[in-house]
Amino acid sequence: MDALTNPAEIARESHKSPVLVIIEQHALARTCILNILKRELAGLEIVEMATTSDLDWLSDRDIRLIALSIGDQQITDPSIEDSLALLAKSCPKAAVALLSNRDDEPTATAAMQRGVRGFFPITIPVEVVIAGLRLVLAGGVYRPLPIVGQNGASS
């Protein structure tokens, strides 16, 4: 029974678990995302933080995926560019997914051109997000297809 409750053993085991990192500045949104992902993605340790500057303490961990919320910011915003560069440098083996308030084609395309493996606008259902995150964790790429209007143009 002691082996199951030994804090040192628990800490060692948690360092072996693959990690998914959620970076979202808003505490309420971050907590909701964390609770959903913990329930849906068993087997992963899910860590949340407000900014990319908090990544240092995870340097020795097996980070598989980083979900970075960019809110309503443009993908070309210098702060987003800096965050993506920091993630690539700090966690070169981790896939990066963006959570965005924008669901336009130029934003999704620009994200993919920057090496992002998943693009998740807030307009898609949570079940689709979970499936997309699983795909990215398995080595795939997820982004919603552009919506084509009746006249054949993207909207």
Side-chain angles (χ1 to χ4, degrees):
M1 187 71 164
D2 289 335
L4 295 176
T5 58
N6 182 342
E9 186 68 25
I10 292 169
R12 259 195 313 280
E13 283 301 312
S14 70
H15 278 345
K16 293 178 186 177
S17 298
V19 178
L20 185 154
V21 178
I22 302 161
I23 303 173
E24 162 62 64
Q25 70 177 19
H26 301 289
L28 177 60
R30 189 172 63 242
T31 303
C32 291
I33 293 167
L34 176 72
N35 287 329
I36 291 168
L37 294 183
K38 279 187 174 184
R39 185 177 59 241
E40 297 293 331
L41 298 174
L44 287 174
E45 179 182 356
I46 302 174
V47 175
E48 48 90 17
M49 56 187 64
T51 67
T52 55
S53 63
D54 297 332
L55 278 172
D56 294 344
W57 68 274
L58 292 172
S59 63
D60 64 336
R61 307 296 294 280
D62 180 17
I63 301 174
R64 301 281 175 91
L65 176 62
I66 300 170
L68 173 65
S69 175
I70 64 170
D72 203 31
Q73 291 178 287
Q74 296 274 351
I75 190 79
T76 55
D77 185 289
S79 67
I80 301 302
E81 297 275 359
D82 291 346
S83 291
L84 291 173
L86 176 65
L87 295 177
K89 181 181 176 194
S90 302
C91 309
K93 294 180 182 179
V96 175
L98 292 183
L99 310 174
S100 176
N101 293 358
R102 298 174 177 271
D103 63 356
D104 58 284
E105 183 60 20
T107 301
T109 300
M112 295 295 131
Q113 290 171 344
R114 286 165 175 76
V116 170
R117 307 283 301 171
F119 181 77
F120 300 92
I122 62 169
T123 56
I124 60 176
V126 71
E127 296 83 11
V128 175
V129 174
I130 299 299
L133 289 173
R134 285 186 174 126
L135 177 64
V136 172
L137 283 164
V141 175
Y142 176 82
R143 65 167 283 186
L145 293 174
I147 298 172
V148 178
Q150 290 181 354
N151 63 2
S154 264
S155 56

